[in-house]
Amino acid sequence: MRLVKLTEIAEIKSFDCGDQDLNEFLYEDARFYNEQFLAHTYVLEEESETVAYFSILNDKISQTDLDKSLWRKLRKNIPHEKHYDSYPAVKIGRFAVSLKYAGRNIGSDILDFIKRKLADNNEYSASRFLTVDAYRAALPFYEKNGFMPLLKEPPAELPTIPLYYDLFMSR
C-alpha cells in the first residue's frame, strides 16, 4: 500500500465505502477542493484499488462556538498567558475506508498517521487541535481514537457531531 497526494494521481482507482456522498466527494469534488486551496486529499491505494482516503483543511476552535464549561476544559492545558478567543486546528474534512478493507484497523492507523504528522511536523504552520465533524454512526470510532465532543449536547437534527483531539497532549 502507498499513501499519495491526490495531485500525484492521474486516475482514481476503484473505490466504494458504502456512502454515496463520500464516494462522490473522492471522484467528483476532491480535485476541485485542492485546486481552490480548500482541502488536500490523500489516497491510500493498492495496485488496482483505492483502500481509503482523507481530506484535510484548516480550522479553528472558537470560544463563541462552545459552551463555557467545554471551553474551560479545552483551555485548561494551555498556559494562562496564552489564552485566546480561538485556537488553530486542522480539520479532517472527509475520511473513508473501502468496504473491502473495513474492520482491518486501517482507519485507526490512518488517524494515528495524521496525528503524528501534525504533531511532529508543525514547522510551517502550528495547529493545536485536530477536528472532525463525525457522522453519528462513526462516533464510537472517533471516541475510540481519542476524540472528544465539542458540544455538550448536540442538537438531534445535526447530521454530524463536532469532535476534537488535542495534538499537543498526545506528544
Side-chain angles (χ1 to χ4, degrees):
M1 281 188 238
R2 68 185 194 126
L3 184 66
V4 187
K5 193 170 183 181
L6 185 62
T7 55
E8 299 170 17
I9 297 173
E11 186 176 325
I12 298 167
K13 298 174 182 174
S14 170
F15 180 78
D16 181 13
C17 68
D19 182 296
Q20 189 63 27
D21 184 48
L22 291 171
N23 291 339
E24 286 177 3
F25 177 82
L26 178 61
Y27 287 111
E28 299 173 16
D29 299 325
R31 289 190 194 278
F32 173 79
Y33 276 67
N34 184 70
E35 291 165 3
Q36 295 298 310
F37 298 163
L38 299 174
H40 290 299
T41 299
Y42 297 85
V43 178
L44 182 64
E45 58 183 19
E46 285 273 29
E47 285 184 32
S48 63
E49 60 196 343
T50 298
V51 175
Y53 80 89
F54 63 91
S55 294
I56 57 173
L57 58 141
N58 292 329
D59 195 13
K60 70 175 180 175
I61 295 178
S62 176
Q63 178 179 3
T64 58
D65 298 332
L66 300 180
D67 144 303
K68 286 184 184 192
S69 64
L70 282 173
W71 181 249
R72 281 192 298 272
K73 178 182 173 188
L74 188 129
R75 288 190 347 168
K76 77 177 181 182
N77 293 316
I78 298 173
H80 182 69
E81 64 272 7
K82 300 300 178 197
H83 283 187
Y84 300 110
D85 291 337
S86 66
Y87 295 99
V90 170
K91 179 181 283 267
I92 299 171
R94 302 290 180 150
F95 182 28
V97 176
S98 169
L99 287 171
K100 182 176 176 182
Y101 293 88
R104 297 187 192 180
N105 215 38
I106 290 171
S108 293
D109 290 345
I110 291 171
L111 280 181
D112 288 344
F113 170 80
I114 293 169
K115 292 172 189 175
R116 252 188 344 272
K117 279 294 192 190
L118 293 173
D120 295 345
N121 297 312
N122 63 4
E123 62 235 22
Y124 296 110
S125 179
S127 291
R128 174 70 187 239
F129 300 101
L130 179 60
T131 62
V132 65
D133 293 335
Y135 288 145
R136 289 180 181 272
L139 279 175
F141 166 74
Y142 285 105
E143 289 171 341
K144 175 184 89 170
N145 283 283
F147 283 77
M148 305 288 290
L150 275 168
L151 298 176
K152 200 174 209 173
E153 293 183 33
E157 67 272 5
L158 277 181
T160 59
I161 307 298
L163 304 172
Y164 78 95
Y165 181 86
D166 189 337
L167 294 165
F168 185 81
M169 297 307 292
S170 68
R171 294 178 42 177

